[in-house]
Amino acid sequence: MLQVSKKTVGQWLLLSLLAEQRELLERTRQLEMKYSLGFVDFEKKLHQQEHEVFGQWDDFIEWQSLNTALAELRTKIDDVENGAIRVVD
């Protein structure tokens, strides 16, 4: 039987979460570079346009989802770093 400590499980989980965070941050960075704007400024610009550009709205929805996912990941990362995990069967 293999025995693994809670600390080791936490480290594995943290590495996994950090890898996921990196992927999401990279996609966010790509959108920032594409539009030369941060999310808030891009959203303002989008709502001020007279005509809808569907590709921009698609990017907006994706970007908004990325921000939500990143916020959720930050919470999970904080929990793991603070030892707020419970290993269950």
Side-chain angles (χ1 to χ4, degrees):
M1 171 188 273
L2 175 66
Q3 293 184 354
V4 180
S5 70
K6 179 179 174 181
K7 182 179 178 180
T8 300
V9 172
Q11 290 171 337
W12 289 339
L13 180 57
L14 182 59
L15 286 173
S16 175
L17 293 171
L18 290 172
E20 186 176 350
Q21 181 186 43
R22 182 179 172 95
E23 289 176 24
L24 297 177
L25 287 170
E26 176 59 27
R27 182 60 187 138
T28 299
R29 188 182 68 76
Q30 289 172 356
L31 289 167
E32 289 171 347
M33 290 179 62
K34 179 177 181 178
Y35 293 103
S36 299
L37 295 169
F39 177 75
V40 173
D41 292 330
F42 177 69
E43 182 178 19
K44 287 178 188 175
K45 178 184 171 186
L46 197 61
H47 288 292
Q48 292 173 351
Q49 291 177 345
E50 286 186 34
H51 303 286
E52 289 184 4
V53 179
F54 293 111
Q56 290 179 356
W57 277 98
D58 288 343
D59 286 344
F60 171 74
I61 292 167
E62 179 184 2
W63 206 339
Q64 194 172 39
S65 297
L66 288 166
N67 288 340
T68 300
L70 280 165
E72 291 171 1
L73 267 176
R74 285 185 192 110
T75 299
K76 290 177 183 179
I77 289 168
D78 288 344
D79 286 345
V80 172
E81 287 177 336
N82 293 322
I85 62 171
R86 181 175 49 167
V87 180
V88 296
D89 292 336

